[in-house]
Amino acid sequence: MIREENGIFPAVCPLDCPDTCGLLLHKENGKIVKVTGNPDHPITQGAICNKVRNMAERVYHPERVLHPMRRIGAKGEGKFEVISWDEAIAEIAGRYRKLIREHGPESILPYNFYGNMGILSVEGMDKRFFNRLGSSKLHRAICTAAGNTGWNYTMGFGGGTSPEDTVKAKLIIVWGGNLVSTNMHQIALIEKARKQGAKLVVIDVHRNRTGQRADWFIPLYPGTDSALALGMMHVLFARNLVNEGFLKRYTIGHEELREHVKTYTPERVSAITGVPAGDIEALAVMYAETSPAYIHMGNGLQHHDNGGMAIRTISCLPALTGQWLVPGGGAFKSNGAYANMNSEALELPDLRQDDHVRTINMNRIGEALLTLDPPIRAMFVYCSNPAVVAPDTGKVERGLSREDLFMVVHDLFLTDTAKYADIVLPATSTFENTDLYSSYWHHYVQLQEPVIPARGESKSNVEVFRLLAEAMGFEEEAFRDTEEDMIRQALDFSENPYLDGITLEGLKEHRMVKLDMRHQKHYLDTLSTPSGKIELYSAKMAEAGLPPLPTYIPLQEGYDGENRPGEKATYPLMFVSPPNHSFLNSTFGNVEKLKALEKSPLLQIHPEDAAARGIEDGDEVVVWNDRGSYQVKAAVESKMLPGTVVSQGLWWEQGGQRRRVNALTPDRLADMGGGAVFFSTVVDVKRQ
Ligand SMILES: Nc1nc2c(c(=O)[nH]1)N[C@H]1C(S)=C(S)[C@@H](COP(=O)(O)OP(=O)(O)OC[C@H]3O[C@@H](n4cnc5c(=O)[nH]c(N)nc54)[C@H](O)[C@@H]3O)O[C@H]1N2
Ligand SMILES: Nc1nc2c(c(=O)[nH]1)N[C@H]1C(S)=C(S)[C@@H](COP(=O)(O)OP(=O)(O)OC[C@H]3O[C@@H](n4cnc5c(=O)[nH]c(N)nc54)[C@H](O)[C@@H]3O)O[C@H]1N2
Ligand code: SF4
Ligand SMILES: [Mo]
């Protein structure tokens, strides 16, 4: 049921952002004319980012795909003709039936991520469909896989300090996160804490927007964070600044760790990281002597060859000082696990007749499309834009260009990926759907109900997979479940006590309902590591072939301060490409107002590195390595240590310019969880 023509209606931000803001949609004559924050949301409190203030421009964008389309040009050319839904669905089902008959269902691969964080959109009917189909599985490891695995080795449970508590902190260390752009409400809480005397330390490879606010900004070489944390541990043990009582009661492996960190002297760690030895000492002492001390880990430091270990190592720090017992202390990597829903009921893995199908890591999609035998013969892409966001996009592009690959893309726009599709299906925006949202940072579960009718002939993910199931002749009742049925199934999950009391009825009445956080008082007693304790030594890591104690392992592709590139190094600069302020991954890369704010892709380059190449501020430059090249404008500035260059944002191709940062990034996998290693890349730069 669509609401009235005019009025103000509650909604939820669907984007892959920790804040999951409560929104208000202002409707006039049946159209959304303004998007503002919902002041009733206890955490986001009516403030939203500039991206989503411009969301109406995206919803009513003239280039929105409103009808199913069939490709009539070459792959990648972007030429399509409009077809009907009946034709589109019949063609997809027909091709799938033939592929299953001739090559088995494993020849079909779903590829998706969190373009829409709605649980029904990416963890519901879609999963049921592909399970029943028996397709290959996708390991969705592009975002947090390495870091979450590293955290879990140490802590077991995928949750940490609650946002509400962080205002009590007196020391806040933001480590490899650019929260001003990527988690703005955590910044609001940090600013509150600072008004009460807290200090903000930011540790990053460049002075990002968050670093610009810091009381102390500590730049270091990419991929050297575990060394820095080990240097801090060295100082904590050497100066007797550890909490022995806590170590004995809540951890295992502290004796081994005490011995192990002796080699990580501040001098050695300084040589590796580029952080002066005195600063390492000062940081460790500040961390031990300020309480509550809170560490907020971003995603940046885990997009590396050694990214799992970086998070694993840093997540040991609060145990050394006992900060887990101090309200406002502790650490955050993700709070996703507090809101775990009943994924089995949603996804119905039992619909799969043969569970021994292959799993393909999404970070290696280019390689998989080009080399797997038996080949992937069909791919269904939704809620993601791999031609831009996946590593080594040159390979991805070659894979997507395969004439024998039958590709369907379901999206709101003709993205760089959709241009390679055989069939494009129009997707609704979240404001046109019913969906359920949780946050991987705060503790509120929220309900979205449609505020405007579906634009054009667009359909939600749930509707598309329902239609496909019907066309394939899947008769299970589960394919006829309504959105509300699925929300009830998701919330009915006695294994997660934090979900106690959250019901569809409650959500309908209040729109946002807090998890039952009373269970958090048992946090330290219910850790799900093998020992039930914080594992400073992890036998499970040893079994997995990893060092059981936190250890610094240099990047495969990169330099640290001990190992700098020689004169003859082909690619002497480390290249880091984190998100920008005005886009959300590649989403919004086609919204004029936001594009205008970002102006153009920039390469931040240190004056020394620029001078060595005769590059001046504003010059057009080419960044290149063996994988590909990228055209940008140089911004000469000393926000990084010399030897590191940074370019923020995932841009769409435009006017024949090579604007894909991921043309340069490797598709190797991180040390843990099959994670992506976007930031472990070396390049060189020259004037165009
Ligand atoms: N505005 C905006 N917000 C977003 C997004 C967006 O695209 N735009 N994307 C969303 C998504 S999907 C995610 S996962 C999050 C990501 O947001 P964050 O968690 O903030 O992570 P990143 O932005 O990837 O990287 C953060 C910082 O890590 C730094 N970094 C890179 N390598 C290293 C290193 O080796 N050590 C250290 N210490 N720092 C390093 C980068 O320079 C960058 O400043 O943001 C979400 N929010
Ligand atoms: N170099 C470099 N590369 C990176 C990163 C980086 O920092 N640097 N960050 C990485 C990270 S952390 C992430 S999470 C990934 C993100 O990569 P993606 O998940 O691919 O994110 P987006 O680029 O935002 O693409 C999401 C797409 O989903 C579509 N969409 C939105 N809602 C719906 C819906 O309801 N249904 C359907 N069918 N489609 C919808 C949007 O229109 C958009 O085209 O990128 C990764 N790539
Ligand atoms: S992108 Fe993040 S900060 Fe912006 S409105 Fe959405 S949830 Fe809030
Ligand atoms: Mo992400």
Side-chain angles (χ1 to χ4, degrees):
M1 183 197 71
I2 303 300
R3 291 154 186 267
E4 306 80 66
E5 286 276 291
N6 296 313
I8 300 177
F9 303 97
V12 189
C13 178
L15 298 173
D16 187 354
C17 168
D19 300 47
T20 320
C21 290
L23 305 178
L24 292 177
L25 305 182
H26 303 247
K27 246 174 96 175
E28 281 174 21
N29 303 319
K31 277 185 85 170
I32 299 166
V33 291
K34 197 162 78 171
V35 181
T36 58
N38 186 345
D40 292 340
H41 192 293
I43 300 292
T44 63
Q45 298 193 343
I48 58 169
C49 66
N50 189 48
K51 305 182 288 294
V52 171
R53 273 202 298 274
N54 288 295
M55 192 67 138
E57 205 176 307
R58 182 172 150 83
V59 172
Y60 297 107
H61 198 292
E63 286 165 10
R64 218 178 120 175
V65 177
L66 297 175
H67 308 280
M69 300 192 296
R70 179 192 287 128
R71 182 170 60 86
I72 48 172
K75 291 211 172 193
E77 196 183 341
K79 283 200 184 140
F80 293 89
E81 63 176 1
V82 168
I83 55 174
S84 69
W85 268 104
D86 285 348
E87 283 174 275
I89 294 288
E91 174 152 356
I92 300 168
R95 294 290 291 258
Y96 282 5
R97 266 195 226 102
K98 186 162 185 285
L99 282 173
I100 291 170
R101 228 177 17 247
E102 291 172 5
H103 304 284
E106 256 190 328
S107 59
I108 303 167
L109 176 73
Y111 184 102
N112 74 303
F113 205 65
Y114 287 100
N116 176 349
M117 293 289 293
I119 286 161
L120 303 190
S121 290
V122 279
E123 287 166 7
M125 203 55 92
D126 54 326
K127 290 289 165 55
R128 291 180 184 184
F129 176 75
F130 289 111
N131 280 335
R132 175 67 178 77
L133 197 70
S135 73
S136 287
K137 294 184 191 174
L138 186 76
H139 181 31
R140 293 194 293 169
I142 206 165
C143 181
T144 60
N148 286 353
T149 308
W151 170 278
N152 289 347
Y153 277 131
T154 309
M155 301 299 295
F157 175 77
T161 304
S162 297
E164 294 89 330
D165 287 336
T166 63
V167 287
K168 301 183 193 126
K170 291 290 177 229
L171 173 65
I172 295 155
I173 301 180
V174 174
W175 206 322
N178 184 13
L179 310 191
V180 168
S181 301
T182 62
N183 189 183
M184 62 178 267
H185 297 89
Q186 180 63 68
I187 287 291
L189 296 168
I190 290 174
E191 291 301 348
K192 259 194 202 156
R194 288 174 93 185
K195 284 214 179 80
Q196 297 159 30
K199 292 275 179 274
L200 171 64
V201 175
V202 172
I203 304 173
D204 207 285
V205 300
H206 75 132
R207 190 188 290 266
N208 58 23
R209 284 185 191 232
T210 314
Q212 286 163 34
R213 290 194 181 207
D215 296 292
W216 186 14
F217 171 67
I218 304 178
L220 80 178
Y221 292 120
T224 61
D225 303 82
S226 37
L228 179 58
L230 284 156
M232 289 172 71
M233 292 181 196
H234 173 98
V235 176
L236 294 174
F237 278 116
R239 294 198 186 197
N240 260 332
L241 292 169
V242 294
N243 182 331
E244 300 287 353
F246 186 93
L247 285 174
K248 285 201 183 93
R249 163 127 198 237
Y250 292 109
T251 74
I252 59 162
H254 51 276
E255 289 311 329
E256 291 91 332
L257 185 65
R258 192 188 303 262
E259 269 312 299
H260 174 73
V261 299
K262 283 187 177 157
T263 59
Y264 291 94
T265 61
E267 292 69 30
R268 177 179 168 217
V269 168
S270 171
I272 296 170
T273 57
V275 180
D279 285 0
I280 297 166
E281 298 252 0
L283 179 64
V285 171
M286 185 192 245
Y287 182 64
E289 292 185 344
T290 320
S291 183
Y294 168 66
I295 300 178
H296 190 107
M297 282 170 264
N299 253 340
L301 64 123
Q302 55 102 57
H303 274 153
H304 279 292
D305 292 320
N306 58 13
M309 188 60 98
I311 298 290
R312 140 81 171 152
T313 306
I314 296 165
S315 62
C316 292
L317 283 169
L320 266 62
T321 56
Q323 276 296 325
W324 284 116
L325 289 174
V326 186
F332 165 90
K333 166 64 183 69
S334 165
N335 280 340
Y338 292 118
N340 277 346
M341 309 257 172
N342 192 342
S343 59
E344 252 187 69
L346 272 173
E347 302 180 5
L348 299 177
D350 290 345
L351 288 176
R352 207 174 258 284
Q353 276 153 15
D354 176 8
D355 201 37
H356 300 287
V357 295
R358 61 188 170 183
T359 297
I360 289 156
N361 188 315
M362 68 189 297
N363 295 323
R364 309 223 62 204
I365 188 62
E367 183 79 14
L369 287 171
L370 292 172
T371 62
L372 271 189
D373 189 19
I376 299 164
R377 295 175 193 269
M379 183 153 112
F380 193 115
V381 179
Y382 58 109
C383 287
S384 187
N385 186 9
V388 176
V389 308
D392 203 344
T393 46
K395 253 193 221 172
V396 178
E397 220 177 309
R398 288 198 298 282
L400 296 181
S401 306
R402 259 179 45 199
E403 281 304 326
D404 63 333
L405 177 73
F406 174 64
M407 183 155 96
V408 179
V409 175
H410 182 221
D411 203 299
L412 288 82
F413 292 98
L414 203 55
T415 58
D416 288 359
T417 306
K419 291 190 175 136
Y420 290 89
D422 296 285
I423 302 280
V424 177
L425 301 174
T428 44
S429 79
T430 187
F431 303 149
E432 298 153 41
N433 300 331
T434 297
D435 216 325
L436 180 66
Y437 291 87
S438 61
S439 157
Y440 51 91
W441 170 62
H442 65 61
H443 303 316
Y444 288 81
V445 178
Q446 299 174 81
L447 177 69
Q448 171 74 53
E449 289 179 300
V451 174
I452 52 170
R455 289 210 55 215
E457 293 186 284
S458 61
K459 291 190 190 295
S460 71
N461 297 12
V462 175
E463 290 172 298
V464 167
F465 291 107
R466 222 188 254 134
L467 278 178
L468 279 172
E470 195 188 325
M472 292 298 295
F474 298 163
E475 285 176 351
E476 291 81 357
E477 268 305 302
F479 291 108
R480 285 189 282 278
D481 280 348
T482 64
E483 281 78 350
E484 294 200 352
D485 292 335
M486 292 174 78
I487 291 175
R488 282 185 218 282
Q489 293 156 5
L491 294 173
D492 182 8
F493 191 41
S494 56
E495 274 173 47
N496 179 8
Y498 293 99
L499 271 188
D500 282 356
I502 302 203
T503 60
L504 177 61
E505 287 64 36
L507 284 164
K508 281 195 173 228
E509 192 180 340
H510 305 291
R511 318 302 308 182
M512 54 199 86
V513 180
K514 192 172 184 179
L515 296 171
D516 187 347
M517 295 310 292
R518 285 174 305 179
H519 301 280
Q520 205 183 20
K521 63 174 182 284
H522 308 296
Y523 181 86
L524 286 175
D525 302 315
T526 53
L527 294 172
S528 48
T529 51
S531 63
K533 298 199 173 182
I534 299 175
E535 299 211 340
L536 305 176
Y537 179 98
S538 163
K540 203 168 159 186
M541 289 178 74
E543 274 164 36
L546 295 161
L549 287 164
T551 302
Y552 169 65
I553 299 166
L555 301 183
Q556 289 182 45
E557 193 181 325
Y559 311 102
D560 60 23
E562 277 183 340
N563 158 35
R564 299 308 297 164
E567 294 264 301
K568 297 220 171 65
T570 330
Y571 301 115
L573 300 169
M574 294 202 57
F575 178 70
V576 176
S577 55
N580 66 12
H581 190 73
S582 302
F583 304 165
L584 199 299
N585 302 320
S586 75
T587 298
F588 297 119
N590 62 339
V591 171
E592 288 307 324
K593 225 185 258 173
L594 297 170
K595 246 166 72 180
L597 283 173
E598 290 292 336
K599 296 194 183 79
S600 80
L602 288 179
L603 184 80
Q604 298 173 37
I605 182 166
H606 192 277
E608 282 178 24
D609 298 320
R613 291 164 179 80
I615 291 168
E616 287 180 19
D617 194 59
D619 280 353
E620 295 290 334
V621 296
V622 181
V623 189
W624 88 97
N625 61 19
D626 286 346
R627 290 177 205 104
S629 65
Y630 173 52
Q631 292 172 284
V632 263
K633 206 183 273 258
V636 178
E637 45 196 35
S638 42
K639 287 179 176 168
M640 308 73 56
L641 297 176
T644 304
V645 290
V646 175
S647 182
Q648 292 176 271
L650 295 167
W651 295 74
W652 297 37
E653 289 287 61
Q654 195 178 301
Q657 290 249 326
R658 294 190 299 279
R659 306 219 301 184
R660 285 192 190 138
V661 280
N662 281 320
L664 301 167
T665 58
D667 65 356
R668 286 191 306 274
L669 301 181
D671 54 350
M672 296 178 200
V677 302
F678 294 108
F679 305 156
S680 297
T681 309
V682 292
V683 298
D684 206 346
V685 183
K686 64 178 178 207
R687 282 173 56 184
Q688 272 192 41

